[in-house]
Amino acid sequence: MNRIKELRNEKGLLQSDVAKYIGKSERIVGFYENGERDPNTDTLLKLSELFDVSVDYILGKTNTKNTKSISLDDIDIAFASGIRGLNKENQETLKDIMKGLLAKQELENQEED
């Protein structure tokens, strides 16, 4: 879990600070940072809150730290409903456009960091 150490250092926190927040020992935090142990779901959620990043970012499944900007709202609902009315070819075209926009946003987010 090298991202935990990376995030901790970015925030200027000590292992003891993280340990206190998540209710674990410094030694356990060290194990997480060195990949010797994996945090459970509850701990991942606490780390996500502490560092203001997604659990997927901590796990290395995405390079986007925070996906709060991508939320379910009226446009998302309309998009999800509307895509079903398109033929398969147009559905794929629309999906590709969305993937491109999300990739562009991720790059912009990385450049800001």
Side-chain angles (χ1 to χ4, degrees):
M1 287 286 154
N2 58 0
R3 285 206 168 155
I4 295 173
K5 185 174 184 176
E6 170 189 309
L7 291 164
R8 179 177 60 78
N9 288 331
E10 284 177 13
K11 293 268 187 183
L13 299 173
L14 301 172
Q15 283 184 345
S16 59
D17 299 323
V18 175
K20 184 176 180 180
Y21 188 86
I22 64 173
K24 305 283 183 183
S25 69
E26 288 179 52
R27 186 172 182 200
I28 295 295
V29 173
F31 287 155
Y32 294 157
E33 290 183 354
N34 293 321
E36 295 174 42
R37 288 200 182 167
D38 292 327
N40 62 27
T41 303
D42 184 53
T43 302
L44 283 169
L45 290 172
K46 288 178 182 176
L47 291 167
S48 172
E49 291 170 1
L50 175 64
F51 297 123
D52 193 31
V53 297
S54 69
V55 170
D56 282 345
Y57 182 81
I58 294 171
L59 294 173
K61 293 187 174 202
T62 183
N63 290 324
T64 302
K65 288 185 177 183
N66 195 324
T67 57
K68 288 180 183 173
S69 60
I70 303 170
S71 62
L72 185 63
D73 60 15
D74 291 339
I75 293 172
D76 292 322
I77 294 167
F79 175 78
S81 299
I83 195 169
R84 285 186 231 121
L86 299 174
N87 65 35
K88 290 290 182 194
E89 182 181 339
N90 287 335
Q91 286 180 4
E92 290 305 313
T93 300
L94 195 50
K95 287 178 188 176
D96 290 340
I97 291 168
M98 288 298 296
K99 286 178 190 174
L101 288 171
L102 290 170
K104 179 179 178 266
Q105 179 178 310
E106 185 172 335
L107 285 173
E108 290 169 350
N109 289 343
Q110 289 174 358
E111 289 172 2
E112 290 175 3
D113 294 337

